[in-house]
Amino acid sequence: MTKADKEIILQPMVSEKSTHLLRENKYVFKVPLQVGKIEIKEAVEEMFKVRVDKVRTMQVKGKPRKWRGRVVGKTSRYKKAIVKLKEGDTIEELGV
């Protein structure tokens, strides 16, 4: 695992939908906006020693934040990557 891999895969995203995707052998990660699908695939294969079948990405917009009824700012936008692994591979380190 190199430093570049740690900078590409920021954190796994654990939600109700992402835990349902585990049944289909899909994992969800938060990644920076600048990285592409090929870089995500190589980083996941290097970090977790698995074979990646497909990568899908989407950009999540920042939501406005309110305080006492006024809009005071918004959350950061980010990119979400859904990684499908090949048959027989799993990521045990995530512990989900």
Side-chain angles (χ1 to χ4, degrees), residues 4-46:
D5 295 336
K6 291 179 185 176
E7 293 173 357
I8 292 174
I9 304 297
L10 299 178
Q11 64 187 20
M13 299 190 70
V14 179
S15 64
E16 188 174 354
K17 184 174 182 177
S18 67
T19 51
H20 286 299
L21 287 174
L22 290 175
R23 296 180 193 151
E24 301 172 23
N25 210 13
K26 295 180 182 177
Y27 295 86
V28 183
F29 298 101
K30 185 175 182 179
V31 297
L33 289 169
Q34 302 83 10
V35 298
K37 293 181 179 185
I38 296 171
E39 294 170 314
I40 295 169
K41 177 182 177 180
E42 291 171 353
V44 170
E45 286 178 345
E46 180 68 30

Side-chain angles (χ1 to χ4, degrees), residues 11-87:
Q11 64 187 20
M13 299 190 70
V14 179
S15 64
E16 188 174 354
K17 184 174 182 177
S18 67
T19 51
H20 286 299
L21 287 174
L22 290 175
R23 296 180 193 151
E24 301 172 23
N25 210 13
K26 295 180 182 177
Y27 295 86
V28 183
F29 298 101
K30 185 175 182 179
V31 297
L33 289 169
Q34 302 83 10
V35 298
K37 293 181 179 185
I38 296 171
E39 294 170 314
I40 295 169
K41 177 182 177 180
E42 291 171 353
V44 170
E45 286 178 345
E46 180 68 30
M47 284 179 73
F48 300 110
K49 306 295 188 245
V50 293
R51 297 171 297 154
V52 174
D53 186 27
K54 186 183 280 189
V55 177
R56 291 182 164 206
T57 60
M58 64 191 80
Q59 290 190 14
V60 180
K61 295 180 182 177
K63 298 178 185 176
R65 288 292 160 208
K66 296 179 181 177
W67 182 72
R68 293 188 179 179
R70 297 183 183 191
V71 175
V72 293
K74 59 190 223 177
T75 59
S76 300
R77 59 191 198 127
Y78 60 92
K79 188 182 266 192
K80 187 179 351 181
I82 300 174
V83 178
K84 182 174 186 216
L85 302 181
K86 292 201 176 185
E87 197 67 36

